[in-house]
Amino acid sequence: ILTTLKPFGSVSVESKMNNKAGSFLWNLRQFSTLVPTSRTMRLYPLGLCKPKIVHSNWNILNNFHNRMRSTNIFRYLFQDAFILKSDVGFQTRGISTVTALRIDRLLYARRLFFDSKHSLVSVDKFNGELKKVNLHHEVSSEDVLTKETKPNRISSRKLSEECNSLSDVLDAFTKAPTFPSSNYFTAMWTIAKRLSDDQKRFERRLMFSHPAFNQLCEHMMREAKIIQYKYLLFSLYAIVKLGIPQNTLLVQTLLRVTQERINEYDEICLSVLSNVLEVMEPCKNVHVLQMGFRILVDQQVWKIEDVFTLQVVMKCIGKDAPIALKRKLEMKALRELDRFSLLNSQRMFEVLAAMNHRSLILLNECSKVVLDNIHGCPSKIIINILQSCKDLQYYNLDLFNGLADYVAATFDIWKLKKVLFILILFENLGFRHVGLMDLFMKRIVEDPASLNMKNILSILHTYSSLNHVYKCQNKEQFLEVMASALTGYLHSVSSENLLDAVYSFCLMNYFPLASFNQLLQKDVISELLTSDDMKKNVHKLHILDTCLKLDDTVYLKDIALSLPQLPRELPPSHPNAKVAEVLSSLLGGEGYFSKDVHLPHSYHIDFEIRMDTNRNQVLPFSDVDTASATDIQRVAVLCVSRSAYCLGSSHPRGFLAMKMRHLNAMGFHVILVNNWEMDKLEMEDAITFLKTKIYSVEALPVAAVNLQSTS
């Protein structure tokens, strides 16, 4: 076992030379006692020599401690460069017996090469100086033979074209290993991309068990500090994508070297490094590399010329990056906006979503480009744009209408699954496109056999959430088809999926008997009340129970569910004070209306007003107690937000529509007051607006009638 050697100390020049000479001789004696002088040494293409020691049972991926110890020894032994000269007579293929002649000390970060006169040239990467040392020896026949028998370099592209499997690449490495080893890993990943998932798993097992795999990993770690930086990044990316565990010595070594050499970047390296960071799992070395990458981008962002590289860097920078760095990247993208291609504009949505930065200027400009070139846009691009808009909470009605119009115009060439996915994303954004949803309903009615359980649940949720079937012509036919399709899966559907489906039917005011009977069985209810999502299930079961009691369900009226009590619906934390002030001014005081009213079935309304049956006169609450219930019209004023409507319209979404239906069943006349509209109105305009909402047309002055008709 080689002992760890101490470095030279800082002394005077003369004593330092003596100490270095003495230390070198002592080290040489120690080394000679362990390694015989006749030990065969291999001449590597890197210009370094190393004993040919075969570790047949050494697993690089597992024996971390031994590898770290041997790596440290190797680094120290070659702190001083050696010039190799062929010794006498003995020559085999690629192997020659050599003696070592010491020259000036060269650091690890330097590169060695020979000029045409067989002089050693040292390139110092730190100060850029060139040092030439004449070797003073003639080229021997052994040197010529070694040069002739040295295998030619082979590219990763050629390897991937000539080999059909990962094992073929390793076989090629075994026959004639060439520099750099990164080509072999890159070729293996190129081949792996062509394989199916099952083939990848099988080939990966063969790769790990191949006898040359450990040797290839050895070569890769040894070359990591001297190969071009882009090849180091290519190999690291390929190694991670090939499924080599990230906590192995190979990956961690490449990560550390990548950190040390990060200043050797160019634009290609920035792009590849971004992809590397994107596919790697979090760990300390990855975190350090991510921080170094952010510092590098912050310093060099204005020097990036390629738009594609800029977008790759932005996508990789991370959602938790400093806001100042995100804004700097945004400004750089805005400066390059005139150079954006169509693909760049389409990708910008995904890029901004990946860095969690909503740049309205970039999004608006890219939306215009997308709409101008919408024809022929692939479904994947449309789905990515909509998903990014959802993540960024970016609501562009023109963009959504344009995308939906295009899908509706080319509806016949779209697969059902793709259209459904787009409709689901539209529902997440609260957007309802009547034409597209009608076309989809028509296809479902024509081809119900194409539905599976997952599609049924998604369709029911989307249409009930957007309240689309409320006034559709083929509403009954569509609901019957969906109920029939669900009935076919009752024998295998889970309790929670069945509850979700029936809940969606309730929102649409439709009650399929078979599905309800299956759901209301005692064992199904018991399972729902003991599941992990008990609170959500109890909430939906209460709504179902309310629908059975208030809606027109002739066959299910007598069913009574025993459910845990729901907490009351909480009033808004900041009640609409402006609406209360307007009502007080309009009606003549707070005695004419009531605030935060709780009703049966856990419903809550913001304000209640009581009027005569013709809605001509408001009655004070003190007089209502003595009046007959048949002579009173109860008015419910609901203050609603934008999210209660479909995007860009006054069409109520599913839950609000159901609540209005139930309030009507309880005898209320429902008035909807939009919070964002009331906040914009002056007091006089707000009073006029509510007056037209509360009183009937006959009770209003002519001017108020005209205002109501125009609004």
Side-chain angles (χ1 to χ4, degrees), residues 28-45:
L28 185 61
R29 286 195 299 270
Q30 296 295 320
F31 183 70
S32 63
T33 60
L34 297 173
V35 182
T37 57
S38 61
R39 173 70 65 89
T40 297
M41 307 183 78
R42 182 179 296 275
L43 183 61
Y44 284 86

Side-chain angles (χ1 to χ4, degrees), residues 365 450 473 548 610:
E365 292 300 320
S450 61
Q473 295 179 354
L548 294 179
R610 299 188 179 181

Side-chain angles (χ1 to χ4, degrees), residues 516 520 544-551 553 556-557 559:
F516 267 84
L520 297 177
L544 187 149
D545 185 55
T546 301
C547 291
L548 294 179
K549 294 177 179 177
L550 297 179
D551 288 322
T553 55
L556 302 169
K557 283 287 186 183
I559 297 177

Side-chain angles (χ1 to χ4, degrees), residues 45-48 81-82 103-115 119-132 153 179-180 223-232 257 261 264-265:
L46 309 183
L48 301 177
F82 291 89
I103 63 170
D104 292 341
R105 183 179 180 185
L106 298 173
L107 295 178
Y108 212 86
R110 299 177 182 179
R111 297 183 182 178
L112 306 178
F113 62 92
F114 290 92
D115 63 6
S119 298
L120 181 68
V121 181
S122 168
V123 183
D124 194 331
K125 291 169 60 178
F126 295 109
N127 52 33
E129 296 178 357
L130 296 179
K131 296 181 181 179
K132 179 180 288 189
R153 179 179 298 185
F179 176 85
E223 298 169 6
K225 287 207 172 211
I226 56 176
I227 61 175
Q228 292 186 33
Y229 192 54
K230 63 180 179 181
Y231 292 133
L232 173 63
V257 177
R261 300 179 57 187
E264 301 177 31
Y265 81 98

Side-chain angles (χ1 to χ4, degrees), residues 435-655:
L436 181 59
M437 297 190 77
D438 286 344
L439 285 173
F440 190 80
M441 287 176 63
K442 183 179 178 181
R443 177 178 288 190
I444 293 300
V445 172
E446 293 174 351
D447 186 21
S450 61
L451 297 176
N452 56 35
M453 190 62 214
K454 185 177 181 180
N455 291 344
I456 292 171
L457 292 174
S458 300
I459 294 170
L460 289 175
H461 172 75
T462 300
Y463 277 77
S464 63
S465 175
L466 296 176
N467 187 32
H468 181 70
V469 299
Y470 179 57
K471 291 183 179 179
C472 292
Q473 295 179 354
N474 57 346
K475 167 186 175 181
E476 293 297 329
Q477 191 177 6
F478 170 74
L479 293 175
E480 288 175 3
V481 168
M482 296 303 301
S484 177
L486 178 61
T487 303
Y489 288 95
L490 289 180
H491 64 283
S492 59
V493 65
S494 66
S495 299
E496 292 190 353
N497 285 342
L498 179 59
L499 176 61
D500 291 338
V502 172
Y503 173 77
S504 297
F505 277 122
C506 288
L507 290 181
M508 293 184 286
N509 197 21
Y510 187 75
F511 306 94
L513 188 59
S515 301
F516 267 84
N517 289 336
Q518 176 77 10
L519 177 64
L520 297 177
Q521 293 180 6
K522 290 184 178 180
D523 56 338
V524 177
I525 297 295
S526 177
E527 182 179 349
L528 292 171
L529 295 180
T530 56
S531 67
D532 295 335
D533 292 332
M534 187 193 70
K535 291 183 179 180
K536 183 184 74 173
N537 294 340
V538 169
H539 174 72
K540 289 184 177 180
L541 286 171
H542 270 282
I543 291 177
L544 187 149
D545 185 55
T546 301
C547 291
L548 294 179
K549 294 177 179 177
L550 297 179
D551 288 322
D552 187 14
T553 55
V554 179
Y555 301 103
L556 302 169
K557 283 287 186 183
D558 298 333
I559 297 177
L561 296 177
S562 178
L563 301 173
Q565 187 64 34
L566 265 183
R568 283 187 172 184
E569 184 181 350
L570 295 176
S573 56
H574 301 286
N576 199 318
K578 185 172 184 178
V579 176
E581 184 180 357
V582 171
L583 288 175
S584 180
S585 301
L586 175 63
L587 303 179
E590 294 187 359
Y592 288 88
F593 63 93
S594 179
K595 294 186 290 187
D596 298 332
V597 181
H598 292 277
L599 303 173
H601 309 293
S602 301
Y603 278 130
H604 163 267
I605 58 177
D606 297 288
F607 302 97
E608 180 185 357
I609 304 171
R610 299 188 179 181
M611 308 178 70
D612 64 315
T613 54
N614 295 324
R615 289 175 41 227
N616 293 329
Q617 181 181 3
V618 176
L619 304 177
F621 273 71
S622 57
D623 297 341
V624 169
D625 297 334
T626 60
S628 172
T630 57
D631 299 332
I632 298 175
Q633 173 63 64
R634 303 176 72 183
V635 177
V637 179
L638 303 181
C639 301
V640 295
S641 61
R642 288 181 185 269
S643 60
Y645 297 98
C646 293
L647 184 66
S649 71
S650 58
H651 183 77
R653 299 190 65 172
F655 185 79

Side-chain angles (χ1 to χ4, degrees), residues 317-329:
I317 205 66
K319 295 183 178 181
D320 58 340
I323 188 63
L325 178 57
K326 293 181 180 180
R327 288 175 178 169
K328 186 179 289 188
L329 288 168

Side-chain angles (χ1 to χ4, degrees), residues 57-73 75 214 218 221 244-256 283-285:
N57 297 320
W58 186 28
N59 190 337
I60 295 171
L61 299 181
N62 298 321
N63 199 339
F64 184 89
H65 176 72
N66 292 340
R67 174 62 190 143
M68 285 299 294
R69 182 173 58 188
S70 63
T71 302
N72 293 333
I73 294 170
R75 287 182 178 179
N214 285 346
E218 266 285 295
M221 287 190 292
I244 297 176
Q246 192 170 306
N247 60 348
T248 56
L249 174 62
L250 173 64
V251 178
Q252 295 299 318
T253 299
L254 297 185
L255 274 174
R256 291 297 299 273
C283 71
K284 290 184 178 179
N285 277 330

